[in-house]
Amino acid sequence: MTFWYHMYGGSTGRLNARLYQGSSGTTVFTKSGNQGNVWIRGSFSIPSTAKDFHVEFEGIRGTSFTGDIALDDIAFSSTCCINLRGVQPVSTCNILTTNFESQNENGWTNVFGDKFDWTRDNGGTSSFSTGPAIDHTYGNATGYYRYIETSSPRATGDNAIFRSPVFLKPNISGCKLIFYYHMYGSTTGTLRVGIRQGGTTRTVWTQSGNQGNSWKKAEVVLVGATAATFNIDIVGIRGTSFTGDIAIDDLSFDKVSCGCSACSVPKSVTFAGNSFQNYTNLKSDTFDWTLKRGSTGSGGTGPTTDHTTGTSSGYYLYIETSFPRSNGDTAVVRSPTYTQTRGSCSFTFWYHMYGSSIGKLTVYVVAGKERTRVWQLSGNKGNTWWKATAKFDSSNADYWIEFEATAGTSFTGDIAIDDITFNTSCCSAASPPTTPPPGPTTSPCVVATVATFEANASGFVQSSADSFNWVRRRGSTPSVSTGPTTDHTLGTSSGYYFYIETSSVATNNTAILLSPYYPKPIYACKASFWYHMYGATINSLEVRAVSGSRDVRIWYLSGDQGNRWILATPDLPTNLPGNYRLKFIATRGTSFTGDIAIDDVSYLYSCCQKTPPTTVPPTTQPPPKVIHACKAPLTTFQAGWQGFIQGKQDTFDWTRSRGGTSSSATGPSNDHTFGNSTGFYAYIETSSPRRANDTAVLYSPYYSPTVSTCEMYFWYHMYGSTISSLLVYEVDSSDKILKTVFSQSGNKGNSWKQASFTLNSPLGSSFRLKFIGTRGSSFTGDIAIDDIGFNNTLCCRQCSVTGTTADFETGLSRYTQDKTDNFDWTRDNGGTSSGGTGPSRDHTLGTAAGYYMYIETSSPRVAGQVARLISPRYGPPDGPSCNLTFWYHMYGAHIGTLNVLAKPITAGLASQVIFTKSGNVGNRWVKFSGPITITDNYTIVFEGIRGSSFQGDIAIDDIKMSTTCCKNNFVTCSSSQWRCANKLQCIPRGGYCDFKQDCFDNSDETNCSCSKYPATPLLTFETGASGFTQEATTDKFDWTRTRGGTGSFATGPPADHTLGTSLGYYYYIETSSPRAAGDTARMYSPYYYAPTFTAGKPCNATFWYHMYGSTTGTLNVYIQIQNTAVPATAIWTLKGNQGNIWKLGTFSMPRSITGQFRFVFDGIRGSSFTGDISIDDVNLLWSCCTQGIVPPPPSPTPTPIALCPSITTSFETGLQGYTQLKKDDFDWTRKTGSTTSGSTGPSSDHTTGKGYYMYIETSFPRSAGHVARLMSPAYTKWTTPICTLTFWYHMYGSTIGTLNVFEVSGTTTAKVWTQSGDKGNKWIKGSAKLVNPKSTDPNFYIYFEAITGTSFTGDIAIDDIAFDSDCCRRCLVPSNITFEQNMGAVVQSTNDTFDWLRWVGRTPSGVTGPGGDHTYGNTSGHYM
C-alpha cells in the first residue's frame, strides 16, 4: 500500500498504520515528530498470506495544537488483487457460446496484473479507422463484442488479458477453441491465445498486424492442455499507435474435437405445475404468452383442456387476444438455449387454433445470428389439438426455439401450444442423401417445413437435365439493375435465397431446381413460394408438380415484375398418384439483367386437413357498444384502430400504416391528420397476391345520431393509374344498407380530399359505416382514408360561436376549397408575393407571424376568375338577429370583388347575399358584421373575383357568427353556478376566473383581473404528487396516490375528477385494516405566495372531494402560515357519507394572510373500512392575485453509498434510500404481514418474519402489463472483477407476471436478472452478476421492475437487498482514494478518542498542517 502523509508542527505526535486480519493487528508503518512542511510518500508491504484484511491509520496528538497530521492519495498496487476467489472447474463440453450479448460471459473475465482491460462494446470503437463497426454474432451495431481500446493512455506493448474459467482436461487430445477476431488498423499489434497451467502460460496461437476490416474465424487446437485443470488466456497487445483496436466474439468449443459424448436430447416441455419450464417471454414483442388451464377467458375460442392430460387441470401456453390486443400484435416465447446438434434435428409440438379470427403461429430456430422460420400456420383449425413437426439443422451453433403468435382481428383468436418434444435425431450424425428418394406412394401428411435456405439448401437439389444451375446466395446478386438485394425470410442482406445468375449464360438456357418430396394432398390445396423477377430482360419462371410419371404445370410467369418479393400460391392437382415434388424452371432472357430468385417454398395447411374444411358455427356476440355522436372522437388511427374492425366476408383486410405505402406511384406519402410521415391512416394494399376486383371491408363503431340533420365527414386518398372504387354505406346492426353515403372510382390525384354526408338513421337508432375498397387491375390502386368524424355544429347544436373563431392560425378551421371554381384561396402569413397589394400582417395577432386567407392574383390568374372558400355546414339560425362578422383586406390598384353568400343545402333555394364589395379600400383591415336570414341548413361561401391585374389580392380573417345564430335554448343557473356569456351554459362558481376555460366562449376567464400574475397551476396529481408531501411523524398513516377504484367495496371513487376516467390519478385514505377508528392521515400542499386581495373580488380556494361509504369519517382542511403551527380550527370540514360522486369544496381565503402559506388536508378514519376519502384538483383561484406556488428548495445531491462494507436493505426503517420511479404505471408498496389478496403474496417478511418488505399490489385497478419500478440510492462502483447483487423475492400466485432487475450507470442500462411466473409460496434467494456498464459516471444504481400478470393473484415481493462479499473481497478500497468527492470506502473508527477530518485548504491552526492537498497540490483539493 502507498499513501502520502504530512507531519508538520513543533509538537507533532505519531502516525501509525496497522494491518488487521480479523481482530489481530500488526503495525506496518510508524513515524513520529515534525517531518517538515512537505508531503512525503509512505508505503508498506502486505504479505501474500493475508486473507480478508483492512488497514487502520492512527494519528496520535502531540503536546499542543501544532501537531496536525494529514493523509492523502491512498492506493493499493495491482498485485494486491491477483488472488481471485476459486471456482469449480467446468467441462469444455458443457459451456455455451460466449457472445457477450448479456452479462453472462460464462466465467470469462479480465484479470489483474496486466496493463489494462478488455472492454465490452457494441457499434464502433471510439477511434477512427480501427476496430469493428458491427459484432460477429448478429452482424449489426446492436450486438456486443470485447475489444482492447488502444488510445491514450495506452503505450506500445501494453497487454490486456481475458481469462477463461477453470476448465477440466478435455476428453481427447486435439480439442479446439473456436472464436472470431477482428484486427483492423494500420498499427494493430498482436493477439495471442495461451494455455495456463500451474501458474505458467504457454502460447498456442498468435496473429499480428492489420488483417482488414472484417471478422475472421480462428480454430485453436489446445495443444498441451494435459493438466487436470487449465485456463485459457486471450491476450491483446497494443501496437505503436491508437489505430490498433483488436476485438473478439463468439467463443466456443468444437464438441466433436473435444470428445464430447452424444448430446442429450432436450427434455419434453409440458408446462405441468403451472411452470414455464425455462421458457421466457420476449420483451421486444407486443404482449406475452400466458400459462393457463381450463378454458381461456373468451367464448368461441381457445382450448378447454390441455393436451398433456386432456383435462381442465393440465396447463398449456396461450395468447389472450381480447382487448387491448389489436390485429397484428405479436407475442414471442423463447425456449432455453440448447447445445448444438450433429446435423438434422426435429421436434414436435401440439397446437390449438380455434376461433373465427385466428391470426398466425410461426416457429423459428435461432442459431447464432441466423433466425430461421421452420413452421407457420394461420386461420381457424377447429376446436381440437393438432400435432406439428418442425425440422432444422443447428450443427453450426447453440440454438433456441421461438414461438411467435400473431393476433387476428378480434378476441376470438386465442392460440395455444403444449407438449414440445425433441426427436432423438437431434443427437445423431445424420447425412441426408443428395437426391431424396420418392418414398412410398403415400405417406402421413404433415405440415411442411418452409424451405428458407437459411442454413443450407433445405433439401432442394439441382437437376441434371438443364443447361446451368441455380445458386444459393445472400445479399445482392453480382449484376446491377436485376435480382434482389435481400432475401424474403429475414428481409436482410444476411438471409439466403436461390437465384439464377444470367451474366454468362446463353439466351433461353434453363436452370431446374427440384424440391424435396411432399406428401400427396388429401384435399384441394395450394403450394406456396415467394419469387423475385426484376430486370429489363427477365424471361420466365415455370413451376411444375412431378409425381411418378405425371409432370403438370401449376404456375407460369414471364417479364419484369419490379424490384420486390411477391407471393405465389398456385393450386396443386388433386389427382396426383402419390408423393410429389416441385420443379422450378427458370429461363434466361436476352441479357444479364434477367436474374430470377425464389425463397420460402412450402405448401398450405389445407393440403393436410383430415376432413373437408367446414364453416365455424357462429358464436353469440355481445350487443354492440354504441357511441353518442356528440361524444365520438375523431378517428385519426393514431392510437390504433379506435374501434374500427375488419369485415369477414371480403377478400383481404385494410392496413393501418404511416408514411408511404409499399408501392410507388400510388397511395399517400403522409397522413391527413398531421400531414407528415409520422401520422397513421388506413388503406388497402393492392400489390400481389391481390387480384382485380378483390374487396376489403372496414366497419366503424356503432353510433347513435342526435338530430335529424346530423352530418359526418372523412378524408380519402385515391391515387394511382389503376384505382378501382371506394364505397361507403350507412348500415344497421344486420348490415342492411340504410344509405349509400359515398361512391367514387378512378384516380383522384395525389392529395387528400374531404367527403361529407347527411345521415339517414332515425333518432334513437344506431348505425355504423361500411367502407368497401375494391382493387383495380394492378398494384397501383392503393386507396386510403383518415380523420373520420361528426360535424358537431349540426349533430350537437354547437354553433361556431361556441367553438373557436376561424382565425386560420393552425389550419383552415374546417373551411374547404370549392372544386368548381378556377383557383384556390391561399393560407399565408406576412406579406403576399406581389408588391402594392395584399396585407403585410394578419388581423388576429396583428403581426407578420399570424395567418390569414387570401387570393393570389398574379399570373396565371386572369381577370374574372373566381376562388371560393366554403365553411362547414350550419343549421338554420333562430330568429332574425343572427350576425356574421369577419375582417377583410382589399388593397391594390386593380382589386376585383369579394362576395359573401349564405348558400342553402337544399337544391333550388336561392342564396342570400350577405356582403359584396369591389375596388381598393386601402391598406388596412376592415370589419364587417351583417345578418343571416336564411331558413335552411347552409354554408357560408367567400367568393373572391380577380380584377384586371396582379395588384388585386383580397384577404379575409377572424370569421365568427353571433350567439344568436344558435338555437335560443338559454339556460337559467342556480345561485351556486355562474352563467356563461352565451347564456347556453352554467358552470360552478368556483370555475369563474380560475384560469381554466369552462365556458365554450371562454367568458369565465375573459374579464378577470390579476393580469400581471400567472395563474396558479391546478394540482391534478396526474404526473406525480404535484408538490404535496406526507406528514412524517405525527399522524397514523399516509394518503395514497392511485387511479381507478380503491381496494375496498362500496367506498371510494371509480375514477378521478380531472379526467373522469380510471386512468386519472387522485389521493385517498385507505381505511381497511390495520387502520382503526379515529386514525388520521395528514398531507400538505406546496407553499403559495401570499395573495394580493382586491376589493370586491373573491379570493377562494377550491378542491374536489369524494366521500362515499357507510362509515365515512371526517375531512378537515387547514391553512398553515409558514413557520407557524397548524391551527386548531379547520377552514373547511365535512363528515359522513356524501354519496358516490365528486363534489366541489370551496372556501374564502382569510384576508389576514400576509406571508407564504399552504393547505393541510386531514383524513380521519371512520368506524370501518367503508370510509375511503379522496381529493383531487386542488386550486387557488386567479382572482387571489398571488405569484403562485413557491418553488421547492433544491434537493441536495445524495452522497453515493460505498458498497464496502456491505449493507442490507431490509425496509425495516422505511425505504432506506430507495425511491419510486415516475416513468411507470404505479408504485411499489411497503408492507408488513399478508398482502390484501388471497392466494398470492407473502404472509410475512423475509428478514424477521414480523418485519417489512416491498411488494406490488395487483388488484384492481391494475391490469396486465402494468409496470412498477423501485430505484436504489446511488452506490459507488466496485473495483473487483466480480460483484454480485443478492436479494430475496416472493412470486406466488396463479397469474404472476415478471420481475426484472436492472443496473444503471450514466445513460447505460443493463438487465441483470429476470424471472416470470408462479414460484410457490416461499421466499427465494436471487443473485445477479453486475456488469459494470460502460460509463464515465463513478456511481451506479439498481432498480427492480415488476410487471403485472393477468389478474389480482400476481403480487410480487422483495426483501433483504445486499451486495455479496465478492464486491469487496479483492480490494476493499478503490485503487486510489483522493478524498476529492468523499471518503470513499474509508470509515471512522469507533474505538478512538476523536475523528479524522476531511479538509480543504490550510488547517485552522498556524505553523502546522499542510497548505493544500497532495492530489492537486493546491487549496481546492481535499485530504484527511
Side-chain angles (χ1 to χ4, degrees), residues 581-762:
R581 70 190 332 175
L582 298 178
K583 180 194 291 186
F584 291 84
I585 307 171
T587 304
R588 197 257 195 189
T590 57
S591 167
F592 70 90
T593 56
D595 296 351
I596 298 172
I598 60 170
D599 201 359
D600 293 342
V601 184
S602 185
Y603 56 85
L604 301 187
Y605 172 83
S606 57
C607 300
C608 280
Q609 285 183 293
K610 302 291 189 295
T611 57
T614 59
T615 301
V616 178
T619 58
T620 303
Q621 298 291 337
K625 178 182 178 181
V626 179
I627 302 174
H628 191 282
C630 294
K631 297 181 179 179
L634 182 68
T635 301
T636 63
F637 302 111
Q638 301 309 312
W641 285 102
Q642 293 182 243
F644 277 63
I645 60 172
Q646 308 284 351
K648 303 296 184 186
Q649 308 302 321
D650 51 3
T651 318
F652 66 111
D653 283 347
W654 287 75
T655 300
R656 177 174 167 266
S657 186
R658 58 181 170 184
T661 65
S662 58
S663 305
S664 59
T666 190
S669 55
N670 299 316
D671 80 326
H672 178 263
T673 312
F674 298 123
N676 59 38
S677 59
T678 64
F680 285 88
Y681 55 86
Y683 85 106
I684 60 168
E685 173 56 61
T686 56
S687 301
S688 178
R690 302 282 64 85
R691 299 180 179 180
N693 298 319
D694 281 359
T695 58
V697 175
L698 189 68
Y699 287 99
S700 76
Y702 282 92
Y703 302 115
S704 63
T706 56
V707 294
S708 59
T709 57
C710 192
E711 178 185 275
M712 290 190 72
Y713 63 91
F714 68 94
W715 292 79
Y716 64 94
H717 192 284
M718 299 173 66
Y719 167 55
S721 58
T722 58
I723 290 285
S724 180
S725 65
L726 174 63
L727 284 170
V728 185
Y729 297 115
E730 181 184 353
V731 298
D732 63 15
S733 58
S734 65
D735 213 34
K736 176 184 176 182
I737 297 175
L738 303 174
K739 183 179 181 180
T740 302
V741 297
F742 179 86
S743 176
Q744 287 289 338
S745 61
N747 186 358
K748 304 302 179 187
N750 190 9
S751 64
W752 286 97
K753 294 175 172 58
Q754 188 183 50
S756 60
F757 48 88
T758 302
L759 298 170
N760 195 45
S761 299

Side-chain angles (χ1 to χ4, degrees), residues 321 438 498 638 727 748 759 839 1000 1209 1292:
T321 55
F498 264 104
Q638 301 309 312
L727 284 170
K748 304 302 179 187
L759 298 170
F1000 293 146
T1209 303
Y1292 165 55

Side-chain angles (χ1 to χ4, degrees), residues 31 74 105 135 152 157 375 466 473 487 539 547 559 661 740 778 796 824 827 1001 1015 1033 1168 1199 1290 1357 1391 1413 1415:
K31 188 69 69 174
I74 303 171
E105 298 185 344
D135 79 326
S152 178
W375 190 90
D466 52 6
R473 187 176 178 84
D487 79 326
N539 194 328
S547 178
T661 65
T740 302
S778 169
C796 307
D824 284 345
R827 178 174 170 266
D1001 60 1
T1033 58
S1168 172
T1199 301
H1290 193 284
N1391 298 317
D1413 80 324
T1415 311

